[in-house]
């Protein structure tokens, strides 16, 4: 089990010196958190109020960072399982093909052996061989039966050709059997790795859901304390932090997407150069075509997601219907849906567990870091409604509308 998997299974993850240890919903504030008494005492002193505000903001930032780290760990665990399972599927296919090829080669070798036997019998009947031929026939079932040249002399020229073909077929069957055995060994290894990766992915998903619930409670308390110190309301403070986090998510996403786009362009240029060099070195030899790049650079991560029984993990049509129903809540007309449809078609294909292999962006709205979805619900790993609610809020804060976001996507290939 990897370090990440072990950490997840143990129920905690440490990121950048911040320990995300489990917190029961019934526990009191963790050590270092201010009490309401601390808040009331600070309100009478400007310097103390400022210090307490800074402390609470720092704690809220830590909670946000922990949420991001937990979410990223869960997505990475899922992607790791998906990659291992994909390798296993490939090897399973190879084993099946090699088994079929081995069976055909063995059957062909047996057929040639029977031909040799039939020719030998016919030679004997016509007086072309003596009784010693039957000693040869008795050994044809032996793996080394066709190694001796003395047999070839007994069965004559016509049988000799068939014997050579039988020998060659046996060699092919033996080689294929060895390849199949090697593939089966790799198959067993990958099967064990896949089971371990799946267990880690499930544990990570369960950990993020469990621990984010505790973080949400702590965050709500800290936000209420901050509102008391600033003489505002918890709703105002929460809205402000949401805006700040949306800005940070936007900037992180753009930086990551720019980097991913540059890396993809460099990869394609290197592949084109390598293909050109190979073509020049081997004139007249057809080169295999480069693998096509996926439209939005995302891959659906096929991971068992047990947290939401009865709900489909990937349901593009259901997700689109839900998104259309939520436009009015943001003051947008239904005409905006076409832009949203094109935007998330390109970004994720409306797949709940779509993962960008370059940037790590996740889900229908391709949040980066993925833990940002937690603002709208702890089930964001598996629930397209939670992802869509966050995504629409992000679009509203950054672009004003889905058509504004789509316009940016068309111009920059990201939003």
């Amino acid at each position: 089990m990897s370090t990440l998997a072990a950490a997840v299974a143990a129920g905690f993850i440490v990121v950048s010196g911040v320990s995300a240890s489990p917190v029961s919903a019934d526990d009191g504030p963790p050590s270092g958190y201010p009490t309401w008494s601390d808040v009331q005492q600070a309100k009478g002193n400007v310097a103390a109020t400022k210090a307490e505000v800074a402390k609470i903001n720092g704690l809220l930032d830590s909670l946000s960072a922990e949420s991001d780290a937990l979410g990223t760990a869960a997505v990475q665990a899922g992607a790791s399982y998906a990659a291992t399972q994909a390798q296993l599927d490939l090897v399973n296919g190879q084993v099946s093909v090699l088994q079929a090829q081995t069976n055909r080669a063995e059957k062909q070798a047996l057929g040639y052996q029977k031909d040799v036997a039939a020719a030998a019998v016919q030679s004997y009947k016509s007086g072309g061989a003596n009784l010693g031929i039957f000693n040869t026939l008795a050994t044809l079932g032996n793996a080394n039966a066709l190694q001796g040249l003395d047999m070839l002399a007994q069965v004559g020229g016509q049988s000799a050709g068939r014997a050579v073909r039988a020998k060659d077929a046996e060699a092919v069957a033996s080689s294929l059997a060895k390849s199949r055995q090697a593939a089966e060994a790799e198959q067993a290894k990958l099967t064990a790795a896949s089971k371990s990766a799946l267990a880690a992915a499930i544990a990570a998903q369960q950990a993020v859901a469990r621990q984010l619930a505790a973080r949400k409670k702590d965050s709500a308390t800290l936000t209420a304390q901050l509102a008391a110190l600033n003489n505002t309301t918890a709703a105002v403070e929460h809205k402000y932090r949401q805006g700040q986090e949306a800005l940070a998510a936007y900037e992180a996403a753009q930086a990551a997407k720019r980097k991913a786009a540059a890396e993809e362009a460099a990869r394609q240029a290197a592949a084109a150069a390598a293909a050109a060099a190979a073509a020049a070195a081997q004139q007249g030899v057809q080169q295999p075509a480069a693998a096509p790049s996926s439209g939005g650079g995302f891959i659906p991560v096929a991971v068992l997601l047990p947290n939401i029984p009865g709900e489909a993990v990937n349901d593009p049509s259901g997700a689109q219907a839900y998104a259309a129903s939520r436009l009015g809540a943001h003051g947008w007309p239904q005409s905006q849906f076409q832009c949203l449809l094109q935007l998330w078609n390109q970004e994720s294909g409306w797949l709940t567990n779509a993962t960008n292999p370059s940037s790590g962006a996740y889900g229908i709205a391709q949040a980066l870091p993925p833990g940002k979805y937690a603002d709208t619900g702890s089930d964001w790993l598996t629930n397209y409604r939670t992802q869509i609610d966050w995504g629409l809020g992000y679009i509203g804060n950054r672009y004003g509308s889905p058509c504004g976001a789509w316009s940016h996507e068309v111009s920059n290939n990201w939003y």
Side-chain angles (χ1 to χ4, degrees), residues 28-48:
S31 175
Y33 279 53
T35 65
W36 278 104
S37 176
D38 295 333
V39 171
Q40 292 302 321
Q41 291 176 17
K43 287 183 71 172
N45 183 296
V46 174

Side-chain angles (χ1 to χ4, degrees), residues 85 132 295:
Q85 186 60 39

Side-chain angles (χ1 to χ4, degrees), residues 326-395:
R326 296 292 298 158
L327 294 179
H330 293 268
W332 300 323
Q334 281 299 310
S335 58
Q336 288 284 326
F337 181 70
Q338 187 59 33
C339 292
L340 185 67
L341 180 65
Q342 294 176 99
L343 176 66
W344 286 345
N345 272 344
Q346 182 159 308
E347 285 288 311
S348 64
W350 292 82
L351 296 174
T352 307
N353 59 0
T355 303
N356 187 298
S358 300
S359 68
Y362 180 80
I364 290 174
Q366 288 290 278
L368 186 70
K372 292 303 179 190
Y373 284 124
D375 288 344
T376 52
S378 61
D379 61 350
W380 58 267
L381 272 164
T382 58
N383 194 332
Y384 62 74
R385 296 174 180 83
T386 300
Q387 294 182 4
I388 288 170
D389 287 341
W390 180 88
L392 293 177
Y394 171 80
I395 287 172

